Amino acid sequence: MKELRDAIRTQGQGIGLDVVKVDMFLNHRIETGLLFRMGGEIARRFREEKPDLVLTVEASGIALALTTAHALGDLPVVFAKKSATVVQSPDVAQAKVYSFTHKRENVIRVDKKYLPQGSRVLIVDDFLADGQACQGMMALCAQTGCQVVGIGVGIEKGFMPGGKNLRAMGVKLSSLAVVAGIEDGQIILADD
Ligand code: 5GP
């Protein structure tokens, strides 16, 4: 998606060898028009899969999941939580996920009633790196008897194994922009 690629090029920052910082429009400050157009594009790519709901994980996946779900006809968004609360239902699906950005293991959880058995689920996330977050969400869907109809990602780090592994599993995965690598703080984008 050209607009996203341009935003990454002009406003993104490469940190070290493998972190893409896009706080200016996606992860801290949100450029709302861009996010709605990104959601519209993911919706266009997955509309034919007829999802019933969009699943993401808090916090940074929520904005893109929301705009995608809106573009798909105001579908509900369910976001997996990373911490247990006193109001949490005892009937939860949960999975362990190693966080790439926080360098620690989180348990992600969803109240099973929000993932009704048989639902067609579109997973959406802002980034795809090792694929842990997406695989964790797939595990939640397996526990609740839901069908994952696809995975829509904002930015895929093509130099990390997540995308390759998910595609090898036969999942329909589509990313709006693919980063090929980082060189001297410069983000190198893969060709469209
Ligand atoms: P994975 O589970 O695929 O390794 O990582 C995906 C999750 O880690 C995303 O939900 C995203 O929040 C975070 N993440 C992974 N790599 C990056 C990155 O380079 N930049 C940012 N901002 N977040 C990332």
Side-chain angles (χ1 to χ4, degrees), residues 18-20 27 60 100-101 125-133 157:
D18 59 4
V19 175
V20 174
N27 291 131
S60 57
F100 177 85
T101 39
D125 208 358
D126 59 338
F127 270 90
L128 173 62
D130 284 322
Q132 289 263 322
K157 295 197 289 189

Side-chain angles (χ1 to χ4, degrees), residues 1-12 22 25 34 38 45 154-155 175-180 187-192:
M1 180 186 177
K2 183 177 182 312
E3 187 183 0
L4 175 60
R5 290 167 60 85
D6 289 346
I8 295 169
R9 254 192 228 105
T10 55
Q11 299 174 59
V22 285
F25 60 89
L34 172 60
M38 288 169 66
R45 296 183 189 186
I155 303 172
S175 308
L176 300 180
V178 179
V179 173
I187 299 168
I188 314 294
L189 291 167
D191 290 341
D192 273 333

Side-chain angles (χ1 to χ4, degrees), residues 84-103:
T85 65
V86 286
V87 293
Q88 183 184 295
S89 150
D91 198 19
V92 292
Q94 49 188 30
K96 284 185 187 157
V97 168
Y98 182 80
S99 166
F100 177 85
T101 39
H102 294 96
K103 304 290 180 219

